[in-house]
Amino acid sequence: MLAFFCMGFVDMVGIATNYVKVDFGLNDTLANLFPSMVFFWFLIFSVPTGMLMNRIGRRKTVLLSLAVTILSLVLPLLGYSFVMMLVSFSLLGIGNTLMQVSINPLLSNVVRGNRLASSLTFGQFVKAIASFIAPILAAWAAASLGDWKLLYPLFMAVAVIAVCWLGFTSIKEEDVGTGQASSTFGQCFSLLGDRVILLSFLGIMCHVGIDVGLNVTAPKVLQERLGMALADAGFATSVYFLFRTIGCLSGTFILSRFSANKFFAVSVATMLLGVVGLALGQSFALIYVAIALVGFGNSNVFSIILSKAMLYMPGKKNEISGLMIMGLFGGTVFPFFMGLLSDAMATQLGAVLVIAVGVVYLGAFTFYMRKG
């Protein structure tokens, strides 16, 4: 769980980008290079990380991810420049890719069976804590200590503790290590030929696309329909993260007691109600309720799909985890099409319709969940 907390460091890219933009006088195009670098590495390194785990094991891969994360947090303290920050964010994305691919199957060695989805959800809740406190710590460091970058040594200290703690923790890993031949790229991607794995991969893409897409669109919807200023409309993102965190925490207990398939169906239905409200809502209250519903509904989708896929092919957990995490690249795909359609329609309704496509897909995927 401490490693899951370190996974949340990647979400400080949002607040850090705002400070870097001001510090170096960047325009939006250059500033947006920083968050883009994070998602880019999910596409490149996810599958190779799954192959790496077959050679060195899951625990060592998580330790490697923490080491890369620590390096990314050290660089801004050694030299604060545009290039150094670009390298720092690239390493943060690479480390996070390694971590997200390896930590989920590692957790399956500790927690088994139906409790896996619940434990993965709790891990996402712990990750969300880091996501929440990053902007708070940065603002406190800037106001009280005169330098927002003091956020970096605070997070680095936690990562060092995680390395030491996990390094001295013995975890028995089944079917991994030097005795197992490493999978090839072809063998990894051939798993997408299985209907359940392919649909699960697309489900992860939709989950992340909805997640990133709503955070981009929600403030714009408030500005367009209610004439709100960006500073005020931006709180919509906080509402989304708040209910997403509440959903993760409640899902931890619900999934340990009830069927993951039924809870998945309820989650998708909740998101569908939220998207309808976001498409039709014309009042402040209705739009905020809609955002909260999507946040709560989307909070457990990732954990349920990932656990479903890994339990479907238990002998291929490493490769499947790599493929599923590669699906996080959906966070780049969805906003692209949302921008195209909203421009074509000259309204944010276009972006909401793209989000709705993702929710409808997850609704269709619910029928395959019932067969598992």
Side-chain angles (χ1 to χ4, degrees), residues 12 23 51-52 60 65 69 115 185 246 264 266 291 334 342 346 352 367:
M12 74 182 202
D23 291 345
M51 297 164 59
L52 176 66
K60 290 182 179 178
S65 73
T69 299
R115 295 181 58 195
F185 274 96
I246 292 173
F264 186 87
V266 172
I291 293 169
F334 266 65
S342 60
V352 175
F367 293 100

Side-chain angles (χ1 to χ4, degrees), residues 14 58 71 76 87 110 122 125 142 160 206 235 240 254 271 304 353:
R58 297 163 184 168
L71 179 59
V87 174
V110 181
F122 185 70
F125 167 72
V160 170
C206 289
F235 284 107
Y240 176 82
I254 294 173
M271 279 194 288
I304 295 175
L353 290 177

Side-chain angles (χ1 to χ4, degrees), residues 250-284:
S250 60
T252 301
F253 300 102
I254 294 173
L255 287 169
S256 65
R257 293 170 173 80
F258 300 98
S259 166
N261 294 348
K262 292 180 180 178
F263 187 52
F264 186 87
V266 172
S267 297
V268 174
T270 302
M271 279 194 288
L272 186 58
L273 285 174
V275 170
V276 171
L278 200 60
L280 304 178
Q282 298 292 329
S283 69
F284 177 86

Side-chain angles (χ1 to χ4, degrees), residues 190-322:
S190 67
L191 295 176
L192 292 174
D194 183 278
R195 173 177 288 187
V196 173
I197 300 302
L198 176 60
L199 295 178
S200 297
F201 172 79
L202 295 175
I204 294 293
M205 286 195 68
C206 289
H207 156 72
V208 180
I210 294 167
D211 190 61
V212 176
L214 188 70
N215 280 289
V216 172
T217 303
K220 296 179 182 178
V221 170
L222 289 169
Q223 288 179 286
E224 179 181 273
R225 297 180 190 170
L226 303 179
M228 295 178 64
L230 178 58
D232 296 323
F235 284 107
T237 300
S238 299
V239 171
Y240 176 82
F241 276 119
L242 173 62
F243 279 87
R244 197 175 186 280
T245 303
I246 292 173
C248 285
L249 182 59
S250 60
T252 301
F253 300 102
I254 294 173
L255 287 169
S256 65
R257 293 170 173 80
F258 300 98
S259 166
N261 294 348
K262 292 180 180 178
F263 187 52
F264 186 87
V266 172
S267 297
V268 174
T270 302
M271 279 194 288
L272 186 58
L273 285 174
V275 170
V276 171
L278 200 60
L280 304 178
Q282 298 292 329
S283 69
F284 177 86
L286 183 56
I287 293 174
Y288 261 60
V289 169
I291 293 169
L293 287 173
V294 178
F296 186 86
N298 203 29
S299 58
N300 298 286
V301 170
F302 175 83
S303 301
I304 295 175
I305 293 179
L306 181 59
S307 63
K308 167 83 172 180
M310 289 197 298
L311 293 174
Y312 175 72
M313 287 187 178
K316 295 289 185 179
K317 287 180 180 177
N318 293 349
E319 294 85 346
I320 288 174
S321 180

Side-chain angles (χ1 to χ4, degrees), residues 54-56 175-182:
N54 284 337
R55 300 183 64 89
I56 68 175
D175 301 328
V176 292
T178 55
Q180 179 180 345
S182 178

Side-chain angles (χ1 to χ4, degrees), residues 57-95:
R58 297 163 184 168
R59 187 176 68 94
K60 290 182 179 178
T61 306
V62 174
L63 289 172
L64 176 62
S65 73
L66 289 168
V68 175
T69 299
I70 291 172
L71 179 59
S72 73
L73 298 173
V74 169
L75 291 181
L77 304 178
L78 299 179
Y80 186 49
S81 65
F82 176 83
V83 174
M84 189 70 85
M85 291 303 295
L86 200 60
V87 174
S88 172
F89 275 79
S90 296
L91 289 174
L92 188 62
I94 293 171

